[in-house]
């Protein structure tokens, strides 16, 4: 295919371009209903059929290239493998990277029912049938009709991308799809309390290397009360946690919606609720899918907004968000940028002009040595349930810690005993003296700072034990809000020290 043809098809399809190739046909007769699928028996169709398709995509290829596969009656299993070339490219130039997934006979419509699985670039082969499927793919019947293998050339080298796809159909009786067993939406909990969680985790069901069982084990070891399964662009893991939850661990279902212009954690969407990702910021479609996340019972949380990986940088704006991930994994420079950007958004709310966006933190753990619960979001919730946790996050009753070793409380008190905690507003006259107080334990060697709309106005080191109480006075005239940061010593002159813990703000004065 010529490059000009690809570009024309891309423009016709929209910003997140799509192109459909010629169909792959399996013309030979499949076994008739009730017949054996054994090879070589007279009158029986072939037990297995294989087709291989190759092609070449130039630079500028559409985001999604669909390969139609005509699936006949009598197919028990469809298996797909693929490969593509990785030529040497000049320094500073992206090489070839191509993701893969599949849609069944119900079609490739955005947000439609046809989605059957996605592995991105984590696997070179997969299968699915009624009773089983490769992790990342949904078990279910292989119905006759036009299926579509979705190739997604993430980056294309200047030489182009040569690909080869092999499709194998295995004939025989359909198996039975086991009914899914999904995690409950509530655990025993401790009533109204602060609960620790990690809402951004990956297993073998997308590009992670850990099993759900191992993640649950690590979550308990990290002192977590809840986690969210958030695989890239698939809900296949939702049914994979049977037997892993308990009174001590709530497991929420979700998805990391991984677009070409940023990733969003759909936290707590209903089991099996698929959220599409096949659009870019310039398609003006994100609002539609943010609403779909909420209709499915989830929160919209942009993930690692300033991460440097291709496609990770957040370009959809924050108007549709319910919270923002300001701390992703070990604290680094991109988190520092996100934190500063988030802090700037607090001003509008402090002046009564807009709702504010709470900050959360998650590990984004994929494999060893990634630490589950580094960091963790600590939420004040009425009980340990999906709805209560989400209500706590929406309200901003949240602080973030690098581990369960750190515990804190933070609030602001007025002259007459008025009090507001994290995420709340202390409604007092503008000239009233207020006292911000942080009680903390488990942060040896760290420094506590109080940050306002004017910046960092007070800092003091903690005692060697890492335990202490820090207080500071101000007025609503001087500080529109106060939030607390706890940092390790700086390792470079250019940046402040890595974060150990931080709180959402307490707002001051009448709105």
């Amino acid at each position: 295919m010529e490059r000009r043809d690809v570009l024309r098809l891309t423009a016709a399809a929209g910003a997140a371009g799509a192109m459909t190739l010629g169909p792959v046909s399996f013309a030979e007769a499949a076994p008739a209903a009730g017949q054996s699928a054994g090879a070589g028996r007279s009158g029986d169709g072939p037990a297995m059929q294989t087709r291989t398709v190759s092609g070449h995509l130039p630079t500028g290829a559409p985001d999604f290239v669909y390969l139609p596969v005509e699936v006949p009656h009598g197919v028990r299993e469809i298996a797909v493998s693929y490969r593509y070339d990785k030529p040497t490219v000049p320094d500073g130039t992206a090489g070839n990277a191509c993701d893969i997934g599949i849609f069944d006979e119900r079609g490739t419509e955005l947000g439609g029912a046809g989605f059957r699985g996605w592995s991105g670039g984590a696997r070179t082969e997969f299968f699915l049938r009624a009773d089983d499927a490769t992790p990342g793919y949904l078990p279910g019947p292989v119905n006759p009709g036009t299926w579509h293998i979705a190739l997604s050339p993430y980056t294309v080298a200047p030489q182009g991308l040569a690909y080869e796809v092999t499709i194998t159909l295995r004939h025989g009786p359909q198996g039975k799809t086991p009914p899914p067993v999904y995690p409950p939406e509530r655990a025993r909990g401790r009533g109204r309390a602060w609960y620790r969680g990690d809402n951004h985790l990956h297993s073998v069901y997308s590009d992670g290397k850990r099993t759900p069982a191992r993640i649950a084990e690590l979550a308990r070891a990290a002192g977590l009360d809840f986690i969210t399964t958030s695989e890239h662009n698939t809900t296949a893991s939702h049914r994979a946690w049977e037997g892993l939850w308990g009174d001590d661990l709530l497991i929420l279902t979700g998805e990391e919606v991984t677009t070409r212009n940023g990733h969003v954690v759909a936290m707590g969407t209903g089991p099996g609720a698929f959220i599409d990702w096949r659009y870019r910021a310039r398609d003006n479609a994100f609002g539609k899918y943010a609403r779909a996340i909420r209709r499915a019972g989830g929160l919209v949380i942009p993930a690692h907004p300033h991460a440097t990986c291709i496609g990770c940088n957040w370009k959809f704006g924050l108007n549709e968000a319910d919270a923002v991930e300001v701390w992703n994994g070990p604290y680094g420079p991109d988190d520092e940028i996100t934190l500063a950007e988030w802090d700037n958004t607090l001003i509008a709310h402090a002046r009564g002009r807009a709702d504010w966006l709470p900050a959360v933190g998650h590990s984004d753990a994929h494999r060893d040595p990634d630490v589950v619960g580094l960091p963790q979001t600590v939420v004040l919730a009425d009980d340990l349930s999906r709805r209560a946790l989400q209500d706590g996050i929406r309200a901003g009753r949240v602080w973030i810690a690098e581990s369960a070793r750190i515990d804190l409380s933070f609030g602001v008190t007025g002259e007459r005993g008025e009090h507001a905690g994290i995420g709340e507003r202390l409604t007092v006259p503008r000239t009233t003296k207020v006292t911000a107080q942080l009680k903390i334990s488990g942060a040896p060697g760290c420094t506590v700072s109080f940050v306002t709309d004017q910046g960092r106005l007070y800092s003091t080191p903690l005692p060697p034990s890492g335990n202490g109480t820090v207080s500071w006075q101000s007025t609503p005239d001087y500080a529109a809000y106060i939030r607390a940061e706890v940092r390790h010593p700086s390792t470079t002159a250019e940046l402040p020290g890595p974060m150990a813990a931080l709180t959402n703000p307490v707002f001051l004065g009448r709105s």
Side-chain angles (χ1 to χ4, degrees):
M1 175 170 287
E2 296 294 333
R3 183 174 185 273
R4 61 178 177 271
D5 296 327
V6 171
L7 293 176
R8 184 179 69 250
L9 287 166
T10 302
M19 177 178 68
T20 301
L21 302 172
V24 178
S25 176
F26 288 82
E28 289 88 345
Q35 287 184 328
S36 168
R41 291 182 57 183
S42 175
D44 289 346
M48 184 175 73
Q49 297 171 282
T50 298
R51 298 283 185 273
T52 297
V53 176
S54 60
H56 183 270
L57 298 173
T59 301
D63 287 353
F64 301 98
V65 178
Y66 296 109
L67 176 61
V69 179
E70 302 296 341
V71 176
H73 288 274
V75 174
R76 177 176 181 267
E77 177 183 294
I78 181 168
V80 178
S81 64
Y82 82 122
R83 62 182 182 178
Y84 57 90
D85 65 335
K86 298 180 181 180
T88 301
V89 297
D91 290 343
T93 302
N96 284 335
C98 186
D99 294 349
I100 195 168
I102 195 167
F103 294 79
D104 66 19
E105 81 286 351
R106 291 171 289 182
T108 61
E109 179 185 0
L110 285 173
F115 174 77
R116 288 295 293 273
W118 187 255
S119 50
R123 288 183 171 83
T124 59
E125 58 185 8
F126 62 87
F127 77 92
L128 52 86
R129 58 178 186 260
D131 60 347
D132 199 4
T134 298
Y137 293 81
L138 303 176
V142 182
N143 291 325
T146 303
W147 290 51
H148 289 84
I149 296 167
L151 297 175
S152 181
Y154 213 75
T155 55
V156 180
Q159 302 94 319
L161 185 151
Y163 64 87
E164 182 180 277
V165 181
T166 298
I167 308 105
T168 299
L169 304 184
R170 294 183 173 90
H171 298 278
Q174 295 274 2
K176 292 184 177 180
T177 304
V181 178
Y182 295 127
E185 294 188 8
R186 182 185 300 272
R188 177 177 293 176
R190 304 181 296 278
R192 186 172 175 84
W194 291 94
Y195 293 101
R196 295 174 181 265
D198 189 347
N199 298 310
H200 189 169
L201 292 161
H202 297 280
S203 75
V204 294
Y205 282 80
S206 61
D207 62 342
K209 297 297 185 184
R210 292 166 172 154
T211 63
R214 179 59 175 157
I215 292 173
E217 178 186 7
L218 292 171
R220 287 182 165 96
L224 300 182
D225 301 295
F226 66 96
I227 59 174
T228 301
T229 172
S230 58
E231 308 296 355
H232 294 283
N233 298 342
T234 183
T235 59
S237 70
H238 289 186
R239 61 177 69 207
W241 296 83
E242 185 176 0
L244 299 177
W245 59 80
D247 289 341
D248 63 330
L249 183 65
L250 177 68
I251 299 173
L252 303 180
T253 54
E255 180 184 340
E256 184 175 2
V257 183
T258 306
T259 81
R260 295 295 182 90
N261 288 155
H263 302 182
V264 60
V265 172
M267 177 205 162
T269 47
F274 167 65
I275 307 299
D276 217 312
W277 74 97
R278 292 170 292 163
Y279 44 86
R280 293 197 186 205
R282 55 189 175 181
D283 292 326
N284 198 28
F286 180 70
K288 173 182 177 180
Y289 292 100
R291 291 188 292 273
I293 291 171
R294 294 192 187 95
R295 283 196 304 272
L299 295 186
V300 179
I301 305 177
H304 45 63
H306 290 280
T308 56
C309 46
I310 294 174
C312 292
N313 199 265
W314 184 254
K315 298 185 183 298
F316 294 99
L318 297 175
N319 290 339
E320 295 286 351
D322 296 307
V324 61
E325 189 183 82
V326 303
W327 183 353
N328 176 276
Y331 195 84
D334 58 317
D335 300 308
E336 198 68 57
I337 295 169
T338 303
L339 181 67
E341 181 182 61
W342 167 76
D343 186 86
N344 290 341
T345 70
L346 300 178
I347 302 301
H349 180 74
R351 301 309 180 200
R353 295 196 299 271
D355 292 334
W356 70 287
L357 199 61
V360 296
H362 307 130
S363 73
D364 197 5
H366 285 69
R367 60 188 65 84
D368 294 339
D370 298 352
V371 178
V372 172
L374 170 59
Q376 48 195 244
T377 290
V378 190
V379 186
L380 179 59
D382 289 336
D383 56 47
L384 186 53
S385 67
R386 177 177 77 160
R387 178 168 292 183
L389 291 168
Q390 290 176 330
D391 287 347
I393 291 172
R394 285 193 193 95
R397 300 191 300 264
V398 172
W399 56 277
I400 311 169
E402 66 178 1
S403 76
R405 291 189 299 272
I406 295 179
D407 196 16
L408 64 77
S409 63
F410 175 64
V412 183
T413 304
E415 292 176 326
R416 297 182 178 181
E418 311 95 327
H419 181 80
I422 296 169
E424 298 176 340
R425 177 177 287 274
L426 184 63
T427 305
V428 294
R430 295 172 59 182
T431 58
T432 301
K433 285 186 178 179
V434 300
T435 302
Q437 185 177 84
L438 177 78
K439 295 181 179 179
I440 187 166
S441 61
C446 291
T447 295
V448 171
S449 297
F450 291 125
V451 181
T452 77
D453 53 317
Q454 295 189 67
R456 197 179 315 276
L457 293 184
Y458 179 73
S459 296
T460 186
L462 286 170
S465 65
N467 307 331
T469 300
V470 180
S471 299
W472 177 68
Q473 286 194 327
S474 187
T475 67
D477 256 351
Y478 192 57
Y481 59 84
I482 306 173
R483 60 181 183 84
E485 293 182 359
V486 184
R487 291 180 181 259
H488 295 283
S490 178
T491 57
T492 172
E494 288 77 21
L495 291 172
M499 199 71 70
L502 65 91
T503 74
N504 274 281
V506 175
F507 293 95
L508 305 179
R510 297 183 174 91
S511 61

